[in-house]
Amino acid sequence: RALFKYYHSSRNHEILRYIDFHIFGVSLWKFIVGNLVIKNRKALWEIINYLAANMSTITILKELELGKDSFKRFEVLSLFELCKTIVANAKFPAATSLYLAAFMDLRSKEDESRALQFCAARTIFVDIAKEYLEEIESDHLLAIRLELPTDINYLNILDIGLKFELDDFLEFHRLQPIFTTMWREFEYLSPERAFHTKGTGSYEFAFWLLVTHPNRFYYTPMGLFVTECAFYVMYLSVFTFFIWDQTYPYHEPTPAEYLLWIFNGGFIVYEIQEMSFRGGEYFTDLVNYWDIFISLNWCVLLVMRVYSIQYPEDWVVYFPNPVDGSYYNVVDEVSTRATPFFVWYTTLFAIQCVLLWTRLLSKLQRSNFLAPLIQMILDMLYDILKWVMLLAIFVCAFVFALHYVIAGDLNHHQRWSEAAQLQQQYQTAYQNVNFTAEEYESEYIPPLDSPSSIFLYVIQTLLGQQEWELIASDHAEYGPIFFSEDRARIIDMLIIAFSILGAILLLNLLIALMASTYERVRFRSYIRVNFFRAQNTYEIVNRVALMPPPLNVVVFMVCILWLFLEAMVEFCSCCQWTFSVDQLNPLNYSLSERSRAKKHRIKNNLKKEEKNAAAKRKQKKR
């Protein structure tokens, strides 16, 4: 407090030079911020800017995060000047500028009244980061600088840009050749190779690399992605053939079904492997939740399939023998398909069919043609969710209104059965009525007496597919009137009102929302697509190159065989002999012709040295 009073009275910076910021910096920062919350003074901002210029960058950024609630009360301009001071005195100014851009982006989402000001500050800090990187003339040095860890939690520039989804930064023109080369080359930081400027959508180079150097092709991000797509299409083709063949649990397993379950095992094992390698990062990707649900569904279906084979008598229906009351060994397929077990089994397979086919969209997000449309659909989901919430209010209102007015009287089968009983009981009352219950049984009308059936009818009304006969009144010639003309008119008016609100107003509102969203995100979607490409490329470069399903099953089998043979060799030779992995390592075998030539020279030199050593030993013996 004495320090602040002295500084406020004299405005002398000399006293701040004698402070050890490593010891007292954080305490002084918190004290100044606490006073700024009470009273906004220029002297306090001068002190806090001085602290930002002399304290370590990571300490200042941590204090900004911890005191973000306090900074909500300050002017955006003052906070912006403070952040500029932090960037100007940072050890890694480009990374710090991006981190502060993400900080401003978060403030814009929390403070909607000043969102435009925070967004403008975010754009300025992104431009500052671009200016710092623009000063690096060499693309190779720029690529090294992008992957150099900084003092901000050891994150590099690309980590910060991808973690906080700074998509406008990834549109920087200097980054496009780097990501293109990273996508196509295994050793993209080699100064002997120039960076590619051609877009990542060209696969001519991939085909050439696949033909000439297949191992090198696989270890590039492009090769791994193409392999994943090809294997997934193979997996989806086997699954689709199984669905098309209509193999059901009361059938004997076919070769296609055995192949499908082997592929399913590879899919599940791959997800377990990826989860173990990536840890908590695995759950940051939305597609992985899709894969988890697919894997769990396959496990449930496997248990049901094994149960259907082991215990068919518990659920399969056979044709009865009318002579002795026994059953033939012939399946009654019609009756079996009506059992609850069959219904649940086919329902889970239907869900799996939807999940596997829609998962194909994740592989198309790098496509120049379809990726913007997929991104637009994702951006429209939020508007659709708001529209569904609005629709739910109107649907609930009309469902309960119709349910109360109908009062269960639109169950035609029950109504006519009761009328038949009344005719038998009171025959004298209906002597002039030509009524028989059998006439109605030939013309079945679906009931409309429960909330669930009324809900379905309301949804049909929303889509304009309702049947007016279901809510028509009774006729006098068919017996007692359960549903009168007056109640039918009330129901008609309610349905007409919902048709106006739902089919006309709400559906057109949804179309207008989607049209406005389309216009708003049309240009932004291409930026998001480029961001996804950069994110996908960077993730593939930095993750373990696991063999994708379903052919990873072959890799597991070869691995088990390899370990068994290696154990046998070591056991039989008393650990004197083992297999040489270097002889089978694909990287050392085919990354480049130069590496193979270098290996050959080293082997020749070793052989010459061994010969010279043997000759010297012979001379010594002589």
Side-chain angles (χ1 to χ4, degrees), residues 318-513:
Y318 297 95
F319 284 105
N321 188 354
V323 178
D324 55 359
S326 62
Y327 291 90
Y328 294 109
N329 194 19
V330 179
V331 178
D332 185 359
E333 295 187 0
V334 176
S335 301
T336 302
R337 287 196 288 266
T339 57
F341 181 86
F342 182 87
V343 172
W344 278 106
Y345 187 83
T346 53
T347 301
L348 291 178
F349 252 104
I351 295 173
Q352 202 75 328
C353 185
V354 175
L355 293 176
L356 289 174
W357 273 98
T358 52
R359 188 181 181 272
L360 190 61
L361 295 176
S362 63
K363 306 298 181 183
L364 299 175
Q365 288 188 336
R366 297 190 66 97
S367 171
N368 294 327
F369 180 68
L370 295 176
L373 300 179
I374 297 174
Q375 186 61 45
M376 288 180 186
I377 292 175
L378 296 176
D379 293 334
M380 289 178 183
L381 289 179
Y382 181 68
D383 291 334
I384 294 176
L385 179 62
K386 293 189 295 184
W387 180 83
V388 169
M389 295 176 63
L390 181 64
L391 175 65
I393 297 175
F394 288 97
V395 170
C396 291
F398 281 91
V399 165
F400 289 112
L402 293 171
H403 177 68
Y404 190 76
V405 175
I406 291 173
D409 291 336
L410 284 182
N411 189 336
H412 296 272
H413 188 274
Q414 180 181 359
R415 181 183 63 186
W416 281 68
S417 299
E418 293 175 355
Q421 294 176 3
L422 289 174
Q423 186 190 30
Q424 294 177 1
Q425 186 176 358
Y426 305 103
Q427 293 182 0
T428 57
Y430 299 102
Q431 292 179 355
N432 298 325
V433 177
N434 185 15
F435 169 80
T436 56
E438 288 77 6
E439 294 180 1
Y440 169 71
E441 292 179 357
S442 61
E443 298 179 0
Y444 176 74
I445 301 177
L448 200 64
D449 60 340
S450 62
S452 58
S453 60
I454 296 174
F455 171 77
L456 293 176
Y457 187 80
V458 169
I459 297 300
Q460 291 176 357
T461 304
L462 177 66
L463 301 176
Q465 301 295 323
Q466 74 277 11
E467 296 182 11
W468 293 98
E469 296 179 356
L470 297 181
I471 57 175
S473 63
D474 299 322
H475 300 285
E477 63 269 23
Y478 293 119
I481 299 176
F482 285 87
F483 198 68
S484 63
E485 292 284 347
D486 295 335
R487 294 169 64 191
R489 292 192 187 97
I490 295 174
I491 297 299
D492 290 341
M493 288 189 292
L494 289 174
I495 294 299
I496 292 173
F498 183 78
S499 298
I500 296 174
L501 290 174
I504 298 177
L505 294 181
L506 290 179
L507 286 180
N508 283 282
L509 175 61
L510 177 62
I511 295 172
L513 281 173

Side-chain angles (χ1 to χ4, degrees), residues 92-103:
F92 300 92
T96 306
S97 181
L98 287 178
Y99 193 89
L100 291 175
F103 177 79

Side-chain angles (χ1 to χ4, degrees), residues 29 33 36-37 45 48 60 63-76 78-79 82 103 107 111 114 118:
W29 175 280
V33 171
L36 276 172
V37 173
W45 282 108
I48 203 171
I60 294 296
E63 293 302 320
L64 279 177
E65 289 292 334
L66 294 174
K68 59 183 179 181
D69 294 331
S70 301
F71 283 102
K72 290 180 181 179
R73 306 180 183 181
F74 304 149
E75 295 181 358
V76 178
S78 301
L79 183 60
L82 173 62
F103 177 79
R107 300 291 79 76
D111 191 353
R114 300 184 294 177
F118 281 113

Side-chain angles (χ1 to χ4, degrees), residues 22 161 168 257 270 311 315 331 357 393 410 456 471 502 523 588:
H22 296 284
D168 48 350
E257 185 176 2
Y270 177 81
Y311 306 100
W315 67 279
V331 178
W357 273 98
I393 297 175
L410 284 182
L456 293 176
I471 57 175
F523 299 104
N588 294 333

Side-chain angles (χ1 to χ4, degrees), residues 143-154:
I144 295 173
R145 183 65 189 85
L146 291 174
E147 296 208 37
L148 181 67
T150 64
D151 56 354
I152 306 175
N153 299 327
Y154 298 100

Side-chain angles (χ1 to χ4, degrees), residues 115-371:
L116 295 177
Q117 300 178 25
F118 281 113
C119 288
R122 171 190 182 277
T123 304
I124 292 175
F125 281 112
V126 170
D127 293 338
I128 291 174
K130 292 179 181 179
E131 291 176 0
Y132 278 110
L133 298 179
E134 185 67 30
E135 295 176 357
I136 304 176
E137 297 180 356
S138 173
D139 289 336
H140 293 90
L141 292 178
L142 178 60
I144 295 173
R145 183 65 189 85
L146 291 174
E147 296 208 37
L148 181 67
T150 64
D151 56 354
I152 306 175
N153 299 327
Y154 298 100
L155 298 174
N156 58 41
I157 294 177
L158 293 180
D159 290 333
I160 296 174
L162 295 172
K163 179 180 179 180
F164 297 104
E165 297 186 358
L166 301 176
D167 46 10
D168 48 350
F169 167 73
L170 296 176
E171 285 293 307
F172 183 39
H173 68 279
R174 293 285 301 278
L175 299 182
Q176 185 64 32
I178 295 175
F179 278 112
T180 302
T181 307
M182 189 185 299
W183 174 252
R184 298 174 57 175
E185 297 287 345
F186 180 79
E187 298 173 330
Y188 65 95
L189 290 179
S190 176
E192 299 177 357
R193 301 180 180 179
F195 282 91
H196 301 280
T197 57
K198 192 175 181 180
T200 58
S202 177
Y203 289 95
E204 294 85 358
F205 176 78
F207 179 76
W208 173 83
L209 194 63
L210 175 62
V211 174
T212 56
H213 303 283
N215 296 327
R216 183 181 175 186
F217 165 79
Y218 176 75
Y219 281 96
T220 61
M222 176 178 56
L224 184 58
F225 179 77
V226 172
T227 305
E228 288 181 355
C229 293
F231 284 5
Y232 187 75
V233 170
M234 180 193 307
Y235 176 44
L236 192 61
S237 301
V238 173
F239 174 78
T240 305
F241 176 79
F242 173 80
I243 296 295
W244 182 266
D245 192 48
Q246 291 184 331
T247 302
Y248 294 114
Y250 53 80
H251 293 150
E252 292 294 329
T254 61
E257 185 176 2
Y258 283 120
L259 182 62
L260 176 63
W261 286 114
I262 293 173
F263 284 1
N264 295 339
F267 185 90
I268 296 172
V269 171
Y270 177 81
E271 293 304 320
I272 296 174
Q273 272 192 320
E274 192 176 10
M275 190 183 303
S276 62
F277 277 112
R278 298 180 64 183
E281 185 185 357
Y282 174 84
F283 298 96
T284 59
D285 193 354
L286 182 62
V287 180
N288 290 332
Y289 290 97
W290 215 257
D291 295 338
I292 292 174
F293 195 77
I294 292 174
S295 301
L296 294 177
N297 200 7
W298 277 132
C299 293
V300 175
L301 285 170
L302 178 61
V303 173
M304 295 182 69
R305 183 55 172 149
V306 173
Y307 176 81
S308 67
I309 297 175
Q310 296 295 326
Y311 306 100
E313 65 278 359
D314 293 347
W315 67 279
V316 177
V317 180
Y318 297 95
F319 284 105
N321 188 354
V323 178
D324 55 359
S326 62
Y327 291 90
Y328 294 109
N329 194 19
V330 179
V331 178
D332 185 359
E333 295 187 0
V334 176
S335 301
T336 302
R337 287 196 288 266
T339 57
F341 181 86
F342 182 87
V343 172
W344 278 106
Y345 187 83
T346 53
T347 301
L348 291 178
F349 252 104
I351 295 173
Q352 202 75 328
C353 185
V354 175
L355 293 176
L356 289 174
W357 273 98
T358 52
R359 188 181 181 272
L360 190 61
L361 295 176
S362 63
K363 306 298 181 183
L364 299 175
Q365 288 188 336
R366 297 190 66 97
S367 171
N368 294 327
F369 180 68
L370 295 176

Side-chain angles (χ1 to χ4, degrees), residues 20-84:
D20 189 348
F21 293 106
H22 296 284
I23 300 176
F24 303 105
V26 176
S27 301
L28 185 58
W29 175 280
K30 293 181 178 179
F31 174 75
I32 297 299
V33 171
N35 281 272
L36 276 172
V37 173
I38 300 173
K39 47 189 175 182
N40 193 355
R41 296 289 186 269
K42 183 178 180 181
L44 294 174
W45 282 108
E46 291 179 358
I47 295 177
I48 203 171
N49 276 278
Y50 188 84
L51 293 176
N54 290 274
M55 293 174 62
S56 63
T57 304
I58 186 61
T59 303
I60 294 296
L61 295 179
K62 287 182 178 178
E63 293 302 320
L64 279 177
E65 289 292 334
L66 294 174
K68 59 183 179 181
D69 294 331
S70 301
F71 283 102
K72 290 180 181 179
R73 306 180 183 181
F74 304 149
E75 295 181 358
V76 178
L77 183 59
S78 301
L79 183 60
F80 174 73
E81 293 297 331
L82 173 62
C83 292
K84 285 181 64 177

